[in-house]
Amino acid sequence: MANFNLEVNGVAHTIAAEPNMPLLWALRDLLSLTGTKFGCGVGMCAACIVLIDAEAVRSCITPVSAVTDKKITTIEGLSTDGTHPVQQAWISEAVSQCGYCQPSKILTAAALLAKNPHPSDAEIDAAFEDNLCRCGTYLRIRGAIHRAEAGG
Amino acid sequence: MASRLITRRDFLKVSFTAGGALLVGSFLDACTPPAPAITPTLPPTATNTAIPESPLQPNLFIRIDPNGTVTFIIHRSEMGQGVRTALAMILAEELEADWSRVRVEQMDAVAELNQITSGSGSIAINYDALREAGAAVRALLVNAAAQIWNIAPEECKANQGKVIHAASGKQLDYGELIHKAKDLKLEDVDVQLKDPKEFRLIGTSVPRIDDPDIVTGKAIYGLDVRLPGMLFATVARSPAPGGKLVKYDSAQAESVAGVRRVVKVSSGIAVVAENTWSAIQGRAALNITWDEGSASTLSTESIHQKMVETINKAIAKESPTTLKTIEAIYETPFLAHAALETPNCVADVRADHCDVWVPTQNPLDVQTFVRNVVGVPTNVHVTLLGGGFGRKLEVDYGVEAAEVSKAVGAPVQVVWTREDDIQHDFYRQMTYHWMKAGWDGAGNLALWRHYMAGQGINGMAYRVGKEVLDEGLNVLYNIPGSIPQSFLVNTPVPTGPWRGVMSAPNAFANECFFDEVAAALKKDPYEFRMELLDEANPLRAVLELAATKANWGTPLPEGHGRGIASQIYHQTMVAMVAEASVQDGSLKVHKVVCALNCGKVIHPDMVVQQVEGGIVFGLTTLLNEITLDKGRIQQSNFHDYPLLQMKEMPDVEVYVVPDERAPQGLGEMGVPPIVPAVSNAIFNAIGIRIRRTPILAADLTV
């Protein structure tokens, strides 16, 4: 057990954890930031995506010891009030069904658009490799990304 | 309907809350039957008891605050099908509420209420009762305004959260009317349902009520419940059904950092820790030895063999025929639900009561089973579900949490890993179908056999016998000499309802084999279906719409094929045309056109969402299967139980045949036709028949 300093959504936290504890459980169980979801624990479904220095990263396979000097953004920190263009596009396109995996989809989309403001469908599909939605909202995710890139 | 309201004088219970809001309690019939075919087996205290005469406890609540906010307390579980929005729309429509001031809260388990969210039934079952309740409260508010203004209620009209007197221009907000409304009696007011032509909310695609919370991460699923002092637990369960615990190393597990306790529960050994990660690490250190007993001989092959023997005995009794015949075998495997949110539950067991927070489709059974374990009054609080698909009808994970909390004397969240979920599911049943068709010299069909073997549903709370196998077993078309028969082949493999239940495998067998017969008779598969449906059959319009919108019969790109399939389930008729191609042994589904008739549509875009979701659910069955060897499930996570990915998603178009009959089921309707439609498209493209799912690369190579 050791102390780790994490900067999450612009707020500095010090947590006591095993070095190999995945960031997912540190966020959810130690900091009660439950918007980041558990799906598989092995990096195959992407329900646990967070942004680390603007990269979409699977927090279930990222140990806390590896992110102490990084800026971590979870869905709770993407915007304070749900007004990020991707969040707005998600509502306009009625993407969500159960909604459980959508925070990770929104963060994946935000990271993609930050790097590639006008992705093709194929580029979107590539960014969403092994990024699973059991409700089947895939067509609407593509639609919402195109809506967000067009300014909502 | 209005007369019924007047005869039931205790239809509404009107009161004030401590906060000064009007609380209207009304009644959803406990005796309203659940959707047909799946009849859950419930303890006699639960939902299948007849509604008592009196006194009744209200089980539907509408709260109107002084500021005019209208809150509905919704009794069905939200798992992505949009039920919290759709049921609220029905109530708000008749109440003439201002939708921007409508809120929804989730109801706890309430005895004597049909609270099970299953069988695509939430809207179909509750539509009339919700309309009546909304209309009755609207009538109270209109009469309250009329009394304040000292005019006849007929001169007043409810409009978007206000009552308006057009002649004078006066208006009062609902929030200003609640004190007066409380003193009115339902029998003194005239309650009229709206003419559906006046609907302004039903039939529109308003944003879902939960969307703002979902996109900001504020939505609370079961796994997100956090209580002060809450501990986290994982449970080690027998790898084979019915296995017994021989020994384990609790000291080793308790030496893992963060682990607090190791406790025995009925399903296995629980490791209780300060966080989920420690609970997972602690469990890995248990070093358990199991005695798997007789189940260790169970395998997919042995179950398959039993089904083959059962069907072959039935075939042996068939009389010889002079007809020209063809036969085929269709098969489907066990399947896991694999909702993205794994099973989980928080229980807080105290000396005199117990609270449970759980993502469940079945709050009453959770309450009954947990109460039996803890022996004290139990409140069940239903969270949002991160997908359900039938898995969350079961109570096993709720019972585990209650046992662990009771043992350690603290609130505990039991978390299932993905491996737990895949290996300890209540699976869709493996099925085996023998199909035979015969025709005379003129090509007239005169014989159809569909002999199907599978097991019943054998869950802890949810059990269905042979009748579950009969869902969708009948061929939809007029074929003389049609004999559908199902044969129960039970095994210890735990089974449960899985979105589309047995309607899906039966549609696969029927609709693909019909395609085989059409090909043998050199008939167009769409035209042949229409030929064998009566002029008055409403399925015709559904098939015709799907075929027309898919440009059936027009040329396709080289290597592409089209397939059509249909099913009727929960009184909804659905047809799909799929376009697919195969290259180098790899299947690509390009487009799916769906037409359906689900009666009155509440929220048109939710119809599309449910079809898109059903198509994804069905297409996933082309990719994966659950198999057993030596009693153990061989799959464990998404590397060997893959789900459909975005890049594999076809374009989807959905068309609705307008029909003003009462709303019917939708949640499962996208699943049954997609697999046969794609399989038939594969045949159309490359001449290969798909008779078993999943489809393996070798199946697609000539």
Side-chain angles (χ1 to χ4, degrees):
Chain A
M1 197 82 86
N3 283 342
F4 295 95
N5 296 318
L6 298 182
E7 187 191 325
V8 184
N9 302 328
V11 179
H13 299 270
T14 302
I15 58 161
E18 292 297 305
N20 65 351
M21 176 189 273
L23 176 61
L24 169 70
W25 300 115
L27 292 170
R28 291 183 53 81
D29 296 355
L30 305 187
L31 301 178
S32 289
L33 288 169
T34 55
T36 307
K37 305 303 185 191
F38 168 68
C40 69
V42 295
M44 289 204 68
C45 79
C48 63
I49 291 276
V50 297
L51 302 184
I52 295 181
D53 293 344
E55 293 284 335
V57 170
R58 290 162 201 243
S59 65
C60 78
I61 50 170
T62 304
V64 288
S65 55
V67 292
T68 51
D69 54 348
K70 319 273 191 199
K71 288 187 191 319
I72 301 162
T73 305
T74 69
I75 189 67
E76 291 93 342
L78 185 63
S79 69
T80 53
D81 51 3
T83 51
H84 188 283
V86 174
Q87 290 170 315
Q88 290 294 300
W90 240 249
I91 293 178
S92 301
E93 290 290 315
V95 173
S96 302
Q97 289 187 37
C98 85
Y100 183 79
C101 71
Q102 297 302 340
S104 73
K105 301 288 187 290
I106 289 168
L107 291 172
T108 306
L112 170 65
L113 287 171
K115 279 190 204 164
N116 179 357
H118 300 288
S120 65
D121 281 354
E123 287 169 330
I124 294 172
D125 288 359
F128 280 82
E129 183 82 20
D130 288 331
N131 197 322
L132 304 175
C133 170
R134 189 62 160 145
C135 296
T137 62
Y138 296 130
L139 293 174
R140 287 160 190 262
I141 290 171
R142 276 199 213 125
I145 290 170
H146 290 312
R147 180 188 280 263
E149 74 179 279
Chain B
M1 283 185 189
S3 63
R4 180 188 154 200
L5 301 188
I6 290 158
T7 60
R8 281 179 57 173
R9 298 197 170 195
D10 57 359
F11 176 76
L12 294 186
K13 304 267 192 197
V14 183
S15 60
F16 271 104
T17 67
L22 182 77
L23 184 68
V24 181
S26 186
F27 304 95
L28 296 166
D29 285 356
C31 54
T32 309
I38 294 294
T39 309
T41 306
L42 290 172
T45 53
T47 66
N48 57 349
T49 51
I51 192 166
E53 281 301 310
S54 141
L56 278 173
Q57 289 302 309
N59 54 31
L60 164 69
F61 295 99
I62 302 166
R63 192 174 67 229
I64 304 177
D65 286 306
N67 70 4
T69 301
V70 176
T71 304
F72 299 129
I73 293 92
I74 296 287
H75 67 302
R76 292 297 180 112
S77 301
E78 180 62 76
M79 48 190 180
Q81 81 282 42
V83 72
R84 279 160 57 98
T85 302
L87 295 184
M89 286 170 73
I90 297 166
L91 270 168
E93 178 71 65
E94 285 291 352
L95 179 52
E96 191 54 38
D98 171 7
W99 183 249
S100 69
R101 290 188 289 165
V102 169
R103 305 285 178 267
V104 167
E105 290 175 9
Q106 193 69 35
M107 195 185 294
D108 292 345
V110 176
E112 289 155 9
L113 176 62
N114 180 353
Q115 213 170 348
I116 289 187
T117 305
S118 73
S120 303
S122 290
I123 288 175
I125 290 170
N126 294 292
Y127 181 66
D128 288 343
L130 292 175
R131 287 187 66 195
E132 288 169 10
V137 177
R138 166 167 49 85
L140 290 179
L141 293 164
V142 166
N143 278 265
Q147 289 197 5
I148 289 169
W149 295 328
N150 203 19
I151 55 176
E154 293 74 29
E155 295 178 47
C156 307
K157 192 165 170 46
N159 186 306
Q160 306 256 32
K162 293 177 167 46
V163 179
I164 292 169
H165 181 229
S168 67
K170 283 188 285 202
Q171 59 179 44
L172 283 168
D173 193 85
Y174 280 2
E176 300 172 290
L177 292 167
I178 57 177
H179 281 83
K180 192 76 184 172
K182 177 182 172 289
D183 297 329
L184 299 178
K185 291 193 164 44
L186 188 63
E187 55 263 40
D188 297 332
V189 304
D190 180 29
V191 178
Q192 298 281 343
L193 291 178
K194 276 187 180 179
D195 183 333
K197 291 192 189 73
E198 294 172 15
F199 285 170
R200 61 169 98 212
L201 200 51
I202 289 177
T204 67
S205 295
V206 295
R208 289 183 179 217
I209 272 177
D210 292 308
D211 272 2
D213 284 347
I214 287 171
V215 303
T216 52
K218 295 191 185 90
I220 299 297
Y221 302 85
L223 216 45
D224 303 332
V225 173
R226 293 291 177 266
L227 300 179
M230 188 179 92
L231 299 171
F232 300 82
T234 55
V235 178
R237 305 167 193 86
S238 168
K244 300 275 184 295
L245 193 60
V246 177
K247 60 174 185 178
Y248 60 99
D249 188 346
S250 62
Q252 189 68 24
E254 281 169 347
S255 72
V256 170
V259 171
R260 293 275 192 89
R261 290 274 300 277
V262 174
V263 296
K264 276 186 86 166
V265 292
S266 21
S267 62
I269 299 292
V271 176
V272 188
E274 291 161 12
N275 59 72
T276 313
W277 177 245
S278 294
I280 293 170
Q281 301 296 103
R283 184 176 68 172
L286 278 171
N287 196 20
I288 306 179
T289 305
W290 297 96
D291 172 8
E292 293 168 22
S294 59
S296 65
T297 59
L298 197 63
S299 69
T300 315
E301 190 44 48
S302 67
I303 297 167
H304 179 258
Q305 200 51 42
K306 273 175 80 175
M307 297 199 297
V308 171
E309 285 163 13
T310 302
I311 292 295
N312 283 349
K313 270 185 212 160
I315 296 172
K317 294 178 188 157
E318 285 285 303
S319 311
T321 174
T322 55
L323 297 168
K324 165 83 177 148
T325 62
I326 60 170
E327 296 181 29
I329 300 291
Y330 282 81
E331 295 171 87
T332 71
F334 289 111
L335 292 171
H337 295 82
L340 255 283
E341 183 198 25
T342 53
N344 67 87
C345 178
V346 172
D348 184 7
V349 182
R350 305 292 179 95
D352 58 350
H353 75 280
C354 165
D355 283 282
V356 166
W357 289 261
V358 61
T360 182
Q361 298 171 243
N362 189 359
L364 277 175
D365 275 345
V366 172
Q367 186 178 47
T368 304
F369 278 76
V370 168
R371 198 171 47 213
N372 286 345
V373 165
V374 299
V376 290
T378 299
N379 300 318
V380 175
H381 315 289
V382 180
T383 65
L384 293 175
L385 282 65
F389 313 118
R391 173 63 179 92
K392 288 169 182 162
L393 285 162
E394 268 306 340
V395 299
D396 50 334
Y397 50 100
V399 170
E400 280 180 348
E403 289 187 49
V404 179
S405 173
K406 189 180 178 187
V408 301
V412 174
Q413 178 171 65
V414 165
V415 178
W416 285 43
T417 63
R418 178 60 56 196
E419 290 78 9
D420 297 336
D421 175 58
I422 298 288
Q423 303 207 316
H424 300 277
D425 198 354
F426 293 84
Y427 304 93
R428 190 177 91 177
Q429 307 97 296
M430 185 175 168
T431 67
Y432 182 85
H433 311 251
W434 175 67
M435 312 297 297
K436 182 176 183 178
W439 51 88
D440 63 21
N444 298 309
L445 274 177
L447 181 150
W448 181 275
R449 296 286 183 273
H450 183 171
Y451 290 1
M452 180 270 205
Q455 69 184 84
I457 287 177
N458 63 6
M460 284 171 70
Y462 214 89
R463 295 181 185 186
V464 192
K466 188 169 108 65
E467 62 268 29
V468 71
L469 303 179
D470 297 334
E471 284 189 331
L473 188 66
N474 280 313
V475 69
L476 298 171
Y477 315 104
N478 297 331
I479 301 176
S482 171
I483 301 179
Q485 278 198 78
S486 62
F487 300 86
L488 210 50
V489 178
N490 280 334
T491 82
V493 180
T495 53
W498 189 101
R499 191 179 190 180
V501 196
M502 288 295 97
S503 178
N506 283 333
F508 173 49
N510 273 332
E511 291 292 300
C512 286
F513 190 61
F514 189 87
D515 208 78
E516 295 199 44
V517 173
L521 290 168
K522 298 188 168 41
K523 302 261 196 183
D524 174 273
Y526 162 64
E527 297 291 347
F528 195 34
R529 281 171 169 80
M530 296 295 273
E531 208 178 288
L532 297 178
L533 289 170
D534 296 338
E535 284 299 324
N537 191 322
L539 183 59
R540 290 179 67 93
V542 177
L543 279 162
E544 189 175 4
L545 185 60
T548 304
K549 294 294 184 182
N551 300 312
W552 185 265
T554 60
L556 282 170
E558 181 68 25
H560 287 222
R562 275 195 200 100
I564 190 166
S566 183
Q567 181 62 304
I568 301 173
Y569 192 42
H570 298 310
Q571 285 77 50
T572 288
M573 290 154 269
V574 56
M576 287 184 187
V577 175
E579 181 184 333
S581 65
V582 176
Q583 275 201 326
D584 306 323
S586 177
L587 169 68
K588 171 83 182 162
V589 182
H590 300 273
K591 184 176 172 183
V592 180
V593 175
C594 174
L596 56 85
N597 176 333
C598 60
K600 180 86 184 164
V601 171
I602 307 301
H603 188 295
D605 194 47
M606 275 184 206
V607 175
V608 179
Q609 285 182 315
Q610 287 307 296
V611 171
E612 289 172 1
I615 286 170
V616 171
F617 225 77
L619 288 177
T620 299
T621 71
L622 303 181
L623 306 175
N624 58 28
E625 66 181 318
I626 291 292
T627 56
L628 291 94
D629 187 39
K630 299 187 175 68
R632 297 185 175 205
I633 304 293
Q634 293 178 289
Q635 292 71 30
S636 63
N637 207 317
F638 295 128
H639 66 285
D640 53 11
Y641 194 79
L643 304 184
L644 197 82
Q645 302 226 22
M646 188 184 289
K647 65 185 177 188
E648 298 163 315
M649 181 73 197
D651 290 334
V652 174
E653 294 175 12
V654 181
Y655 302 94
V656 174
V657 176
D659 190 337
E660 285 302 305
R661 72 191 167 116
Q664 304 299 328
L666 257 178
E668 299 168 273
M669 295 318 305
V671 180
I674 183 63
V675 170
V678 169
S679 301
N680 292 339
I682 292 169
F683 176 77
N684 186 241
I686 59 170
I688 287 178
R689 286 288 174 197
I690 299 301
R691 299 192 184 97
R692 186 185 187 282
T693 62
I695 301 175
L696 311 174
D699 297 334
L700 295 174
T701 317
V702 186

